[in-house]
Amino acid sequence: MSHLTEDDSTIERKYVKEKKIGEGTYAVVYQGKEAATGRKVAIKKIKLGQSQAGVNGIELSAIREVKSLQELQHPNIIELIDIFSHKTNLNLVLEYLDSDLEMIIKDKNIVFMSSDIKSWMLMTLRGLDHCHKNWILHRDMKPNNLLVGKDGQLKLADFGLARDFGDPMAKNMSTQVVTRWYRAPELLFGAKQYGYAVDMWSVGCIFAELMLRVPYLPGETDIEQLDLMFRALGTPTEEDWPGFNELTQMKFQKYPKTPLKALFTAAGNDTLDLLEKMLNYDPNKRLTTREALNHPYFRNKPRPTPPGKLPKQEKSNHLNEPVSPSSSSASPY
Amino acid sequence: MSKLSLQNAMLSYEQLALTPSRKDAIPEELEDELRRLGCHFIQSAGILLKLPQVAMATAQVLFQRFYYVASMMAFSIRDIGMGALFLAAKVQESPRKIRDLINVYHWLISKYQNTVYEPMEYFGTEFYAMKNALVIAEMQILKRLGFNVHVQLPYGLMVNYLKVLELTEHEKIPQLAWGYLNDSLRTNIYVCYQPPTIACAVIYLAARICGVKLPTQPPWWELFEAELEDIL
C-alpha cells in the first residue's frame, strides 16, 4: 500500500497542467508535464456524474478505466502513470502521445506503404492480445483510440468501456458498445453475451480502413450499418453463421458474396485472407488475437516497418480534427 | 503505478494493532463491534439490492481496509459502508442507483434503531445529506486506498479446491464453507491472509465440523499454497 503514505497534494504538485486538449462526455483532457523530469503527460480530469439531482458519484467508465489500466502494462497499451484527486475531481495522469491513427489516416499528405499498415496492425494486435490475455475486453476499438507517439509506437487508449469477460455469470452485457462503424454483427443483433470476437471485428474494420483511407462501413443507423455490412460481405446464411436465422425476425435483402479482391485491388492474398478471417460473421470462427498474430501475413514479405520509421504527421492539429461519432467520448483519451 | 500489485494488500502487526481509530481513543471492543455492524449493513443492503455476493464481499473488504487508514472518529460506518457498496457494485459490473442504495440504508438503519420506518421525502434535505455523504465517502475510499479497487476473493478458489478434494457432492461441506467465507468478511482476515489461505481455512473448518477426513500424506493444503500454521 505504497500510495497510502503519499498525500494526494504531493502527487498533484508533481504535475503541471498546461492546456486543454480535448473534452469528452465524462472527462476533460489537459496536456501537462511532470515537473521534475519535463516528461509530457496527459491529465484526464474526470467529472463527477451529473444529473438533475446533482452529483451522482464516480462514473462507471472512470472506474473501468482505472481498473483495467492498473492491470495492464504493455508497450502497446497506454500507461497510467498516477492518479490523484482534487476536491471532488478524479485526475488520471496518462502517458502523452500527440497523434492518433485516425489523424494519420485522414492526412492525405501521407502515403502508406503496405509495410506501414502491417506495422500498425502488428502493434494493435499485440496490445489487444495483452488485454485479452488478461480477460479484458476493450469494447471501443477504433482508429481514434489508437494513439501514436513521436517514436511511432502505437498504443491502445480509452478503456472507459473495457470490462472483464469470460465470466459465465455475466449475463446482460450491454450491446451499446463500440462506435457503430466498428461494431460487430452480433452486437448489432443484440447479443447479451459476447467475447473477444467483438474487438477483433473492430480490428478488421480498422485494417480495411488503413487500406482504403476512408472508414470501411460508415453506417448512419444500426440498420444501415447491417445493410452496408451485408452489401460489402454478402448477407450471411445459416452456413456462414450457424444460428443466424434464429437471431432475428428481420428479413434482409440477400446480397451475394463479392470477393474482397474487388474492393481491395492492391492487396495481396495473405492480406485478404487475414482480413476475411477477422471479418468472419460467426464470432466463434473469427480469429483470436493469437491466431491473427500467427497468420502468415506477418511472416511474409514485406517486413513491417520499424515504428521509428513509420510515416507521421508534419504537425499535429489535435483540436481542429472532426471526429467520428463516438460511443463514449470524443476525446482520444 | 508500476509498483501496484494486484494481490490483496497485507498489513503488518503494527498496523493491525494500532488502527487510526485506536489512536483517536476508540476502544478496541467498540471498533470491532462497529466493524461488524458496518459489514452487517453492507451484506443486508446488498441482499436487498439483489447484488451478487462478490459485490458485497468486495465492499466489505474495502470497508475493512479503509478503517486501517482512517479513523471512525472522522468517518461514520454508515457513510463508508454506503460508499464501499456503491463503489464495489460498479467494480463488479452491477451498478445500482444511488437512490435505491440510500433508501435501503435508510430502512436498515431505522429497523436497527427500532423506530417506526418513514420513507424519506423524494427531494428532502435528509436524502440530499445522505447522498452527499455517500459521494464524499466513495471518493475518500478511493483516495485513501490509493485508487486500488482490486480485491481478490476466495470464493472461486474455494469451489475449485472442493472439486479437487471431491467434496462438491457432500451434503453439508460446500454450503458450510461458503457460509464461513461470508462470515469471515466481518473479520480482519482479508488484510491478514491471501485468498488461497482463507479458502483452505474454511474448508478445513467445514470438514472438521462434518467429521470428514482429508488426506494428510501429503497434506492437502500444500497443493493450494497454504501453510498449516496460517490455516489454523
Side-chain angles (χ1 to χ4, degrees), chain A residues 1-4 8 48 51 53-60 63-64 66-68 70-71 73 80-85 87-90 139 162-164, chain B residues 1-4 6 9 11 15 65 69 86-87 90-93 95 98-99 123 127-128 131-132 135 138-139 142-150 191:
Chain A
M1 288 186 167
S2 60
H3 267 83
L4 300 182
D8 265 274
L48 278 183
S51 70
V55 284
N56 246 341
I58 294 153
E59 282 280 347
L60 180 59
I63 307 247
R64 280 172 171 163
V66 171
K67 194 174 165 232
S68 325
Q70 282 180 336
E71 227 174 303
Q73 277 139 36
L80 178 63
I81 303 167
D82 244 327
I83 316 176
F84 62 88
S85 60
K87 288 177 197 151
T88 54
N89 288 322
L90 196 58
R139 301 203 298 182
R163 66 166 289 172
D164 298 353
Chain B
M1 222 61 249
S2 53
K3 47 194 181 294
L4 181 110
L6 295 179
L11 297 180
Q15 285 171 306
R65 284 185 193 167
V69 293
F86 189 54
L87 179 62
K90 283 188 271 192
V91 169
Q92 298 296 345
E93 296 285 347
I98 205 163
R99 184 176 287 276
F123 290 114
F127 173 78
Y128 282 107
K131 180 168 166 179
N132 230 342
V135 173
E138 185 188 26
M139 185 58 98
L142 276 177
K143 207 165 157 174
R144 295 189 184 235
L145 297 180
F147 299 96
N148 186 358
V149 291
H150 287 268
V191 293

Side-chain angles (χ1 to χ4, degrees), chain B residues 158 176-178 180-181 184 197-207 231:
Chain B
M158 184 200 74
L176 209 50
W178 187 274
Y180 289 146
L181 278 186
S184 70
T197 313
I198 300 173
C200 284
V202 295
I203 296 175
Y204 188 92
L205 185 59
I231 299 176

Side-chain angles (χ1 to χ4, degrees), chain A residues 105 117 207-217 263-264:
Chain A
I105 290 172
I117 296 176
F207 193 16
E209 187 168 338
L210 281 168
M211 291 187 272
L212 298 169
R213 300 295 292 265
V214 287
Y216 181 44
L217 303 167
L263 183 61
F264 302 91

Side-chain angles (χ1 to χ4, degrees), chain A residues 24-96:
Chain A
T25 36
Y26 85 102
V28 185
V29 186
Y30 297 91
Q31 192 201 92
K33 62 171 188 256
E34 195 179 356
T37 58
R39 179 186 181 187
K40 271 193 182 174
V41 293
I43 300 172
K44 184 170 181 171
K45 189 171 108 186
I46 292 165
K47 305 171 195 164
L48 278 183
Q50 299 285 331
S51 70
Q52 293 148 313
V55 284
N56 246 341
I58 294 153
E59 282 280 347
L60 180 59
S61 41
I63 307 247
R64 280 172 171 163
E65 182 145 24
V66 171
K67 194 174 165 232
S68 325
L69 286 178
Q70 282 180 336
E71 227 174 303
L72 299 169
Q73 277 139 36
H74 189 273
N76 296 119
I77 293 173
I78 193 162
E79 185 196 346
L80 178 63
I81 303 167
D82 244 327
I83 316 176
F84 62 88
S85 60
H86 179 84
K87 288 177 197 151
T88 54
N89 288 322
L90 196 58
N91 290 268
L92 310 186
V93 183
L94 297 156
E95 234 178 319
Y96 180 81

Side-chain angles (χ1 to χ4, degrees), chain A residues 101-292:
Chain A
L101 206 56
E102 187 187 12
M103 286 158 59
I104 295 177
I105 290 172
K106 280 188 175 164
D107 190 334
K108 292 291 177 302
N109 297 322
I110 305 176
V111 178
F112 293 179
M113 306 299 288
S114 55
S115 56
D116 301 339
I117 296 176
K118 194 174 285 184
S119 178
W120 283 315
M121 284 305 291
L122 191 60
M123 290 189 282
T124 307
L125 282 168
R126 278 183 181 152
L128 188 61
D129 182 53
H130 190 74
C131 297
H132 289 177
K133 255 197 247 162
N134 287 285
W135 300 95
I136 291 172
L137 287 184
H138 185 281
R139 301 203 298 182
D140 199 10
M141 295 289 289
K142 56 175 173 180
N144 184 233
N145 282 340
L146 300 174
L147 305 184
V148 179
K150 278 220 160 40
D151 57 356
Q153 280 289 345
L154 177 148
K155 290 170 199 267
L156 272 58
D158 199 345
F159 282 73
L161 282 172
R163 66 166 289 172
D164 298 353
F165 74 109
D167 178 0
M169 296 302 285
K171 296 196 173 92
N172 275 322
M173 283 160 72
S174 168
T175 55
Q176 291 308 304
V177 293
V178 192
T179 307
R180 189 185 305 110
W181 300 349
Y182 308 93
R183 204 178 288 157
E186 63 268 31
L187 291 175
L188 291 162
F189 282 120
K192 292 280 180 213
Q193 280 179 291
Y194 47 85
Y196 64 84
V198 298
D199 283 337
M200 187 48 82
W201 179 276
S202 314
V203 175
C205 295
I206 296 168
F207 193 16
E209 187 168 338
L210 281 168
M211 291 187 272
L212 298 169
R213 300 295 292 265
V214 287
Y216 181 44
L217 303 167
E220 288 292 320
T221 62
D222 287 6
I223 290 295
E224 195 194 322
Q225 187 67 33
L226 282 169
D227 189 64
L228 274 175
M229 192 182 287
F230 296 165
R231 250 177 230 270
L233 300 162
T235 308
T237 60
E238 188 65 25
E239 203 174 293
D240 298 328
W241 188 357
F244 170 69
N245 290 341
E246 287 152 38
L247 273 175
T248 172
Q249 302 296 314
M250 287 189 281
K251 288 281 166 272
F252 292 95
Q253 192 167 348
K254 296 268 179 283
Y255 295 109
K257 219 179 207 64
T258 41
L260 289 170
K261 187 86 193 163
L263 183 61
F264 302 91
T265 43
N269 287 334
D270 55 348
T271 313
L272 293 178
D273 185 66
L274 177 59
L275 181 62
E276 196 178 330
K277 286 178 174 157
M278 285 176 165
L279 295 178
N280 196 314
Y281 279 120
D282 184 353
N284 294 320
K285 286 197 288 248
R286 213 171 293 152
L287 290 189
T288 63
T289 45
R290 193 90 320 257
E291 285 161 354

